[in-house]
Amino acid sequence: MLVLGIESSCDETAAAIVADGRTVRSNIVASQHDLHRPFGGVVPEVASRAHAERITAVTEEALSEAGVKPSELGGIAVVNQPGLVGALLVGLSGAKGLALAWNLPYVGVDHILAHVYAATLAGFDAFPHVSLVASGGHTCLYLASGPGEVKILGQTADDAAGEAFDKGAKLLGLGFPGGPALSRCAETGNPAAVAFPRSNPNQKPGDSLDFSFSGLKTALYYHLRERTENGAREITDEERADVAASFQEAICEILTEKLLAACRATGHPALAIGGGVACNGRLREMLTDRAGDVRVFFPPPALCADNAAMVAGLGHHFLERGERADWSLDVDPTPKRLN
Ligand code: KG4
Ligand code: ZN
């Protein structure tokens, strides 16, 4: 079955065609980074307008790149939660319109569960496995037992890991989005230059699998304030690289140690990561180095960052088991705690 996926939960307008929940036939992403860069962060109203302007062209491109006609589709999968309410509404309204016009079934998909599915889409079929979704809005640790079937093991008590990267980059005077900018800056730095705090540094059996990043962000703020009167503006490029590398090291260590602790706690020696932060090279390197007997899987970066292929892939399983959304399906901006 061919499924059209649509994603518009934040600042990427995306559409994709996936066959049988496995084969990505097209994966089109129109990023809005240039529109939000002058503001240093995502402006919800700007995001909604840009989605509305682009969604038709992005969907047409996904179909034409895949060489698929609407009459060949088996259904549509659209992210309806969580995310920016106005942004989600554009994707959901578009999907409803197409489902009506083309007489197709459609289903709503949870954005975070789609990130979990990215590993399966990329060929990782070890179930159950521990899955980390680390993005700009969420940091969630799950035990995944099948497509869309997860039990939550831990989540952030405050900021998301991506948010820590974004805010850290802002404090260091780096660009938007912060994660890629900070990791680029960190390339020439010394990760041991500054001893930033780690929540739960010596994770023991029975310790919480929840995350916390706000203390780390505050530590960066005070480090820069103690060093200079005007924060990052006065430090040298060399020092900025050292601070960025040390900050990135702390985030990666928190994520790595929780992931491996979750494998020990659940007794399942397999893990995968997803979400924009899963593109981070240092995180991938550290997990590989410390995994020991744990099987570690990294989806390609294009499936980790926001995309609609992961949505079409997960939606395939919902459609295949007969799920159908009716016209009353609404958006829900808040994440669910899935037990
Ligand atoms: O999953 P995603 O594309 O969108 C959300 O659902 O939020 O994740 C975006 C987040 C942003 O915070 C961005 O700074 C971060 O992922 N990110 C990275 C990297 N690439 C993107 N963080 C660290 N290193 C990267 N290479
Ligand atoms: Zn995301």
Side-chain angles (χ1 to χ4, degrees), residues 273 275-284 300-302 304-305:
I273 57 177
V277 178
C279 298
N280 186 273
R282 179 62 187 133
L283 176 63
R284 290 172 176 235
C304 288

Side-chain angles (χ1 to χ4, degrees), residues 132 141 161 165 191-192 194-203 210-213 216 245-261 264 277 280 282-287 289-290:
L132 169 76
L141 202 49
F165 269 107
V194 186
F196 284 119
R198 276 86 163 136
S199 50
N200 246 4
N202 306 304
Q203 184 90 23
D210 287 339
F211 303 87
S212 169
F213 294 101
L216 178 59
S246 304
F247 187 74
Q248 172 176 260
E249 194 74 0
I251 297 177
C252 293
E253 194 151 36
I254 294 166
L255 296 174
T256 298
E257 290 306 318
K258 291 282 177 190
L259 264 163
L260 296 175
R264 289 192 295 272
V277 178
N280 186 273
R282 179 62 187 133
L283 176 63
R284 290 172 176 235
E285 184 181 65
M286 192 184 282
L287 270 167
D289 289 349
R290 299 189 185 183

Side-chain angles (χ1 to χ4, degrees), residues 187-222:
E187 274 167 23
T188 54
N190 171 12
V194 186
F196 284 119
R198 276 86 163 136
S199 50
N200 246 4
N202 306 304
Q203 184 90 23
K204 292 181 293 301
D207 282 357
S208 164
L209 292 170
D210 287 339
F211 303 87
S212 169
F213 294 101
S214 68
L216 178 59
K217 190 180 66 187
T218 309
L220 172 62
Y221 171 79
Y222 280 111

Side-chain angles (χ1 to χ4, degrees), residues 7 9-10 111-112 115 133 135-136 138 275-276 304-307 310:
E7 148 69 40
S9 64
C10 188
H111 177 85
I112 309 179
H115 273 306
V133 176
S135 69
H138 317 284
C304 288
D306 282 351
N307 69 89
M310 63 184 189

